[in-house]
Amino acid sequence: MRGVLGQEVVDYVRELILTGTLRSGEKIDQQALGEALEVSRSPIREALVVLSREGLVELIPRRGASVARLSPEDIIDHYALFGVVAGRAAALAAENLDADGIAELRAVHARFLEVGETVSEGADPEDASLVPALLQQLNHDFHRIINLSAPGRTRWLLRHLEHSVPTSYYEFANGWNRAAVDHHAAILAAIADGNPEGARGAMESHLLASGEAAVAELVTRGFFEAGAGPEEEAV
Amino acid sequence: MRGVLGQEVVDYVRELILTGTLRSGEKIDQQALGEALEVSRSPIREALVVLSREGLVELIPRRGASVARLSPEDIIDHYALFGVVAGRAAALAAENLDADGIAELRAVHARFLEVGETVSEGADPEDASLVPALLQQLNHDFHRIINLSAPGRTRWLLRHLEHSVPTSYYEFANGWNRAAVDHHAAILAAIADGNPEGARGAMESHLLASGEAAVAELVTRGFFEAGAGPEEEAV
DNA sequence: AGGGACTACTTTGAATACATTATTCATTCA
DNA sequence: TGAATGAATAATGTATTCAAAGTAGTCCCT
């Protein structure tokens, strides 16, 4: 993961796992992966170490790597943790965010609402394919502004939690997400009011709901269907 | 980090960093490290990836690894995060821990108190060197029993937070720690009472205090004294 | 004398090679 | 017939080699 190659491998394998192409428990062949990406095993191995620290891959000495067996409960739990940490950031934002930051937050939220309403009315069909990416970007900006109020270590952990597991990845894959906007509105209101506990609670609720949505999406992608892994239990 | 060598390297370098032998920002030479441990650079590189994901090492492409520049604020923040997550586990324990678990928790706490009082009275001077390790073990057991009530992902994150930065590592290095016992007593009482919010708050307070203690200990070890790193700022 | 460019050296990142361990499949014995 | 043992095969972990980027030191020019 030092140079560029390892990072590419990380992204590639993460995509394979999160899209359900590689299934839960499935073995990951280093040599096959290396041939597929036309790189040697050195960057492959470093990438697998990264993914194992993220919790997406299980590494067993002398037995190699396999896709981690994540249950729906694990995903829910992960989002709950994410909520607890992001809630801390939101509480700090309610205490510390200055007027400029709040204005910026309002602007992003307004744009978010605008794009969402437009698409829900069925307009702009010609560039409809761009909408999910745009919504995801605006969603990301919204959270980033809040998280900037938090100390460095909290931001560090939030970055890791965000990548460790399917998070906002899918939230807007299927278009407009009404619930997310309401949640964001509540978070924004609490922060603007300087209400730390309100912001914390709103953020936690938001991520709990996101977790349930993510599980639903992952189910449709066959994420939880176990592949033929070495740990596979016979029935 | 696949085989056993990588893990040894991780433990070795972590020790160097946490004891202050390697100082903040100092460059880590792969070849020198390999010669010191008599292993090749392959496991070294994988170990450095692990440590970079833990936040103890900073990895810059084509420039190699250096000890992460952690400030006292980072350590405090880290403990606050630890507290938030451990607080969640404690709240769940207050809801879910059965009678056996509570009894076990009481037993560990009683033993903890007993060992501590003994040593504070100056008794058992012949095996005094064993006391810190014993206290640390009992402290660990106490938290482990609580954490077992939490879902898998929460336990996973707690494990990582525990290793990522000097945590309970030093708490009992200097012998008896009166404050920790009072904290544990409060946590135990809240859990036994089935009081989730009380347990959460007690756990958070406990770790905030631990964070301050850890910073004090790290200061005496010269942890925050910057070494001659590549990013070193000229005054 | 100070600054910049060129060269030599060091160190990293990636690929290949080697050794050891797990897995598989066939054969044999109960 | 089934389980167990053993060799053959495949894959992992580690070491070594090779190429490219970075660093430092010197020399030259202004």
Side-chain angles (χ1 to χ4, degrees):
Chain A
M1 190 263 178
R2 190 67 66 55
V4 176
L5 288 195
Q7 187 58 53
E8 281 179 22
V9 176
V10 169
D11 294 340
Y12 177 78
V13 175
R14 204 202 324 263
E15 191 78 13
L16 288 184
I17 295 175
L18 296 188
T19 56
T21 307
L22 278 174
R23 296 215 294 210
S24 184
E26 192 165 343
K27 179 117 195 292
I28 298 176
D29 188 310
Q30 298 179 6
Q31 183 173 325
L33 202 70
E35 287 169 5
L37 280 88
E38 296 182 323
V39 296
S40 77
R41 277 174 51 216
S42 305
I44 298 279
R45 288 176 61 72
E46 294 186 3
L48 290 175
V49 170
V50 170
L51 290 166
S52 86
R53 302 304 287 192
E54 291 186 358
L56 281 174
V57 159
E58 192 178 2
L59 236 49
I60 302 176
R62 289 280 171 203
R63 295 209 177 174
S66 53
V67 179
R69 299 169 178 280
L70 293 173
S71 66
E73 290 74 29
D74 288 327
I75 304 295
I76 295 286
D77 188 28
H78 183 88
Y79 272 84
L81 291 169
F82 201 178
V84 162
V85 178
R88 170 175 152 78
L92 290 168
E95 288 173 355
N96 302 330
L97 200 61
D98 58 19
D100 285 355
I102 293 178
E104 201 181 346
L105 204 57
R106 276 195 210 283
V108 169
H109 182 63
R111 179 100 178 94
F112 193 59
L113 196 66
E114 180 191 342
V115 173
E117 292 297 346
T118 302
V119 78
S120 70
E121 288 164 7
D124 288 336
E126 71 275 8
D127 58 355
S129 62
L130 294 175
V131 169
L134 178 57
L135 286 172
Q136 192 162 327
Q137 178 63 44
L138 288 167
N139 176 64
H140 188 264
D141 288 344
F142 184 84
H143 286 283
R144 192 177 51 79
I145 294 170
I146 293 171
N147 294 343
L148 280 177
S149 298
R153 200 79 186 166
T154 296
R155 297 204 305 276
W156 173 83
L157 181 57
L158 284 171
R159 275 199 305 277
H160 281 273
L161 288 173
E162 188 178 345
H163 290 119
S164 285
V165 133
T167 54
S168 49
Y169 218 71
Y170 300 130
E171 270 195 277
F172 306 102
N174 298 325
W176 189 223
N177 185 336
R178 195 6 117 175
V181 185
D182 294 340
H183 293 159
H184 283 198
I187 295 165
L188 172 55
I191 290 176
D193 282 356
N195 175 4
E197 288 314 311
R200 184 198 305 275
M203 184 63 86
E204 289 185 2
S205 303
H206 175 43
L207 283 172
L208 283 178
S210 296
E212 289 172 18
V215 167
E217 177 67 25
L218 288 169
V219 165
T220 71
R221 299 201 182 210
F223 180 86
F224 298 110
E225 320 272 321
E231 318 281 311
E232 185 70 9
E233 301 290 329
V235 184
Chain B
M1 192 266 179
R2 189 69 64 57
V4 84
L5 287 194
Q7 186 57 53
E8 281 179 22
V9 177
V10 169
D11 294 340
Y12 177 78
V13 175
R14 206 204 325 262
E15 192 77 12
L16 288 184
I17 294 176
L18 296 187
T19 56
T21 308
L22 279 174
R23 295 216 293 213
S24 184
E26 191 166 343
K27 179 111 194 295
I28 299 175
D29 188 309
Q30 298 179 6
Q31 184 172 324
L33 208 87
E35 287 169 5
L37 280 86
E38 296 183 321
V39 297
S40 78
R41 281 173 49 218
S42 306
I44 298 278
R45 287 170 69 47
E46 295 186 3
L48 290 175
V49 170
V50 169
L51 290 166
S52 86
R53 302 305 286 192
E54 290 186 0
L56 280 175
V57 159
E58 192 179 0
L59 237 48
I60 302 175
R62 287 280 169 202
R63 293 206 178 179
S66 53
V67 179
R69 298 169 179 281
L70 293 173
S71 67
E73 290 74 29
D74 287 327
I75 304 294
I76 296 285
D77 187 29
H78 183 87
Y79 272 84
L81 289 169
F82 201 0
V84 162
V85 178
R88 170 175 152 76
L92 290 168
E95 287 173 356
N96 301 328
L97 199 62
D98 58 19
D100 283 355
I102 292 177
E104 201 180 348
L105 204 56
R106 276 195 210 283
V108 169
H109 182 63
R111 179 99 178 95
F112 192 59
L113 196 66
E114 178 191 343
V115 174
E117 293 298 345
T118 302
V119 78
S120 70
E121 287 165 8
D124 288 337
E126 71 275 10
D127 56 356
S129 61
L130 293 175
V131 169
L134 180 56
L135 286 171
Q136 193 163 327
Q137 177 64 44
L138 288 167
N139 176 64
H140 189 265
D141 288 345
F142 184 85
H143 287 282
R144 193 177 50 77
I145 294 170
I146 294 171
N147 294 343
L148 280 176
S149 297
R153 198 78 187 167
T154 295
R155 295 204 306 275
W156 174 84
L157 182 57
L158 284 170
R159 275 199 305 276
H160 282 274
L161 288 174
E162 188 179 346
H163 290 119
S164 286
V165 132
T167 54
S168 50
Y169 219 71
Y170 300 129
E171 268 195 279
F172 306 100
N174 297 327
W176 188 223
N177 184 335
R178 191 11 113 177
V181 185
D182 294 340
H183 294 158
H184 282 198
I187 294 165
L188 172 55
I191 290 176
D193 282 356
N195 175 3
E197 288 315 310
R200 183 196 306 274
M203 184 64 85
E204 289 185 2
S205 304
H206 174 42
L207 283 172
L208 282 178
S210 297
E212 288 171 19
V215 168
E217 177 67 25
L218 288 169
V219 164
T220 71
R221 299 201 182 211
F223 180 87
F224 300 111
E225 320 271 319
E231 321 280 313
E232 187 69 9
E233 302 289 330
V235 185

